[in-house]
Amino acid sequence: YLDDSNESNRSRSIEDAQKFIDKLLSYVNCIDFDKIKAYSSEEAATKFGMKLLEKNELFAVLVFENQNGNQLTPFVSYKIRMSSDRVDNTEFTRDSRWRPGPRMRPYIDLKYLSMGFGYLQDLIEHYIIAEHTRLNATQLPGIYLQQFPYPCHINDNADPTLIYFFLLIYCVATIAQSFLISVFFSRANLAAASGGIIFFVLYLPYPFMVRWMTILPPYVKALMCCRRTCLRRGGRPTFWRSTSSRAPAHQWTDITPSPLYGDKFNLLYVISCCLITTPVSICCSPGIWKPSCLVWCIAGSHSKLVRKQLI
């Protein structure tokens, strides 16, 4: 490699190494090591934080309250503001859809730890103590965190008769709605193609409406469940799943409590809405009452599919 005959190889190797170093330096220059920016007011910090939040580049906004100059007061009050996706909602003391069992899912139940809120709070408090005591922050004792053990609980399978009854009325209500949709079409092929799309589109508003489930009063939700197909179709499985996850699960004697915290809308409302809307959909579908049936048969040697109507 060091011979004079390998001069071209040495030059090529040096050029490749130089290109690699230049590219590495260009990547390093793109890294912003200035992660902390100071602002004179909370409004200015919040305004800049919202811009970073649009790019998903905001970690936290730290606000020190009632401070005088550069010196910390004996009693330090501060706020840590983070994106709502990285911390839990503190409006309620428990989950809106409670289920028995420990909160052990890292990115759902343990956001305050997995997203860095707890570590940032511990770091800030260590340096506040170090500033007041004139000690090195590394000399202060650390914090050992352990999740509180969850007590024993029972995973209860529901009453099978209630399950079958609920599935029966749900299927009948779905069939009745399908007949109601088919009334608006005169051709079977068009009804089959458009009916599935309409049935799917009726679900779309439900994810937006479910956010207000704990705010709306029960009679409003019952009215919406009877008149709005999206809430009726989506609300039934949601209430069934939410109530089934608690202990005890669905029982005939336990269908009045709501699975949502602070809510009064329960499974009895949902079953009542099914029983009310099904006859209405059937009565609005005149094709169901015709004493006729459709028979598909194969005619002739050409294997053509012919539809005959028997009256």
Side-chain angles (χ1 to χ4, degrees), residues 34-45:
D34 188 13
K35 297 296 184 180
I36 301 177
K37 296 183 181 295
Y39 291 90
S40 58
S41 63
E42 182 179 358
E43 291 75 13

Side-chain angles (χ1 to χ4, degrees), residues 216-225 265 269:
L216 297 175
Y219 67 91
V220 175
K221 285 183 281 191
L223 182 62
M224 295 171 64
C225 192
F265 192 70
Y269 277 98

Side-chain angles (χ1 to χ4, degrees), residues 220-285:
V220 175
K221 285 183 281 191
L223 182 62
M224 295 171 64
C225 192
C226 290
R227 300 189 63 181
R228 296 294 295 273
T229 306
C230 59
L231 183 62
R232 185 170 70 247
R233 302 298 178 212
R236 293 167 185 169
T238 299
F239 269 84
W240 185 267
R241 183 182 66 251
S242 301
T243 312
S244 297
S245 62
R246 67 183 186 181
H250 287 294
Q251 304 292 331
W252 283 106
T253 58
D254 192 32
I255 61 175
T256 53
S258 175
L260 303 180
Y261 178 71
D263 189 28
K264 296 181 180 180
F265 192 70
N266 49 44
L267 185 62
L268 183 61
Y269 277 98
V270 179
I271 294 177
S272 302
C273 292
C274 290
L275 297 177
I276 293 173
T277 55
T278 299
V280 174
S281 299
I282 293 176
C283 293
C284 295
S285 305

Side-chain angles (χ1 to χ4, degrees), residues 7 14 25 41 46 56 58 63 98 114-115 136 138 157 167 173 182 186 197 210 214 232 235 246 259 285 287 303:
E7 184 177 358
I14 294 174
L25 291 176
S41 63
T46 303
N56 197 21
L58 176 67
V63 181
W98 178 82
S114 58
M115 297 299 178
N136 192 346
T138 58
N157 292 332
L167 294 178
S182 65
S186 59
I197 299 176
V210 74
T214 57
R232 185 170 70 247
R246 67 183 186 181
S285 305
S303 299

Side-chain angles (χ1 to χ4, degrees), residues 65-79:
E65 299 177 333
N66 302 325
Q67 296 300 314
N68 185 13
N70 296 327
Q71 298 294 328
L72 290 177
T73 57
F75 178 76
V76 181
S77 176
Y78 67 94
K79 296 187 297 184

